[in-house]
């Protein structure tokens, strides 16, 4: 047998890939025992290179994909935490809402003369002043002092260290409360 590349030379081996007969000069070692021709060796090298590049691209793509996933997860977490914060804030606002409202609607005390009142209200306030004077003197209002509208007596509430007298029907004057006490002798009117 002659070498496939040197027709004048005697072949000694065979290429493990293309099975061509090769002389000593043409045979290249391919691993431990097999032999390969230069053309197959070049082809194999090229294939390996392409395979390596493919692997590297794949690796890179996987890495990019992983990073993308990480970023996505991160942004998801960020969105979730934002919603959570918003939810907590909303919950706090809802829970504290009545208190918040009461801040704006602080009990408005109306002093005598600082609010346009009708005759009946004025009479009731006059009564409270009278009762205030009585409280200061250590006396309590009797049934003779009555609400100008409902004709009911004023309500006396005794506490440990104070005596409070309230108009029986403040709603008839359009108020929430009309009161005077021994400790706070100025009639207090709450809208
Ligand atoms: Zn070959
Ligand atoms: Zn040869």
């Amino acid at each position: 047998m002659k070498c496939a590349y040197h027709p004048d030379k005697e072949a000694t081996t065979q290429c493990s890939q293309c099975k061509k007969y090769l002389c000593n000069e043409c045979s290249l070692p391919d691993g431990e025992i097999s032999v390969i021709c230069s053309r197959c060796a070049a082809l194999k090298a090229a294939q390996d290179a392409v395979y390596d590049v493919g692997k590297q691209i794949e690796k890179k793509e996987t890495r990019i994909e992983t990073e993308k996933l990480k970023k996505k997860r991160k942004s998801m977490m960020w969105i979730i935490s934002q919603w959570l914060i918003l939810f907590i804030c909303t919950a706090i606002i809802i829970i504290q809402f009545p208190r918040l409202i009461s801040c704006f609607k602080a009990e408005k005390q109306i002093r005598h003369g600082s609010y346009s009142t009708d005759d009946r209200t004025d009479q009731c306030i006059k009564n409270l002043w009278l009762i205030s004077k009585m409280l200061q003197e250590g006396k309590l209002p009797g049934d003779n002092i009555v609400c100008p509208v409902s004709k009911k007596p004023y309500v006396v509430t005794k506490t440990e260290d104070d005596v409070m007298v309230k108009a029986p029907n403040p709603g008839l004057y359009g108020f929430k409360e009309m009161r005077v006490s021994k400790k706070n002798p100025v009639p207090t009117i709450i809208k």
Side-chain angles (χ1 to χ4, degrees):
M1 265 316 157
K2 297 287 180 191
C3 171
Y5 301 103
H6 302 97
D8 56 321
K9 282 185 183 168
E10 209 57 45
T12 54
T13 51
Q14 202 178 358
C15 172
S16 62
Q17 301 293 312
C18 65
K19 309 295 176 197
K20 276 179 182 159
Y21 291 102
L22 307 166
C23 69
N24 277 339
E25 205 181 307
C26 296
S27 59
L28 297 165
D30 180 32
E32 292 275 317
I33 39 166
S34 60
V35 167
I36 196 167
C37 72
S38 56
R39 197 183 283 177
C40 286
L43 203 68
K44 209 178 167 196
Q47 274 174 348
D48 282 355
V50 168
Y51 179 77
D52 276 356
V53 169
K55 269 271 172 203
Q56 272 176 10
I57 288 168
E58 215 173 85
K59 235 190 218 167
K60 211 173 177 181
E61 274 174 355
T62 316
R63 210 173 53 217
I64 288 166
E65 206 66 22
T66 315
E67 262 165 31
K68 254 191 205 164
L69 215 74
K70 255 190 209 165
K71 255 185 201 166
K72 210 175 169 185
R73 211 175 293 159
K74 230 180 187 176
S75 67
M76 255 329 247
M77 289 293 282
W78 177 237
I79 289 166
I80 288 168
S81 58
Q82 274 182 324
W83 273 105
L84 208 67
I85 289 164
L86 196 71
F87 174 76
I88 290 166
C89 286
T90 311
I92 289 169
I93 289 168
I94 288 168
I95 290 163
Q96 298 289 336
F97 197 66
R99 204 185 278 180
L100 202 72
I101 288 292
S102 70
C103 277
F104 293 115
K105 272 195 187 166
E107 287 195 341
K108 208 185 241 173
Q109 293 198 357
I110 301 157
R111 299 267 184 235
H112 187 41
S114 69
Y115 192 78
S116 59
T117 49
D118 61 18
D119 291 347
R120 294 179 313 172
T121 314
D122 285 346
Q123 183 56 53
C124 187
I125 293 165
K126 222 177 256 175
N127 284 350
L128 286 173
W129 277 108
L130 193 68
I131 291 163
S132 175
K133 193 174 165 248
M134 289 172 83
L135 292 175
Q136 294 310 309
E137 288 165 354
K139 286 187 266 180
L140 291 174
D143 291 350
N144 56 323
I145 303 172
V146 293
C147 163
V149 179
S150 69
K151 308 294 177 198
K152 278 185 189 166
Y154 285 71
V155 182
V156 180
T157 317
K158 280 185 195 172
T159 55
E160 246 175 68
D161 54 350
D162 203 6
V163 183
M164 187 176 284
V165 178
K166 288 180 186 174
N169 303 93
L172 296 175
Y173 308 101
F175 295 113
K176 201 167 129 196
E177 200 169 275
M178 298 172 85
R179 64 167 190 243
V180 72
S181 77
K182 198 170 179 178
K183 276 199 168 175
N184 188 9
V186 177
T188 303
I189 298 162
I190 295 158
K191 185 85 176 161

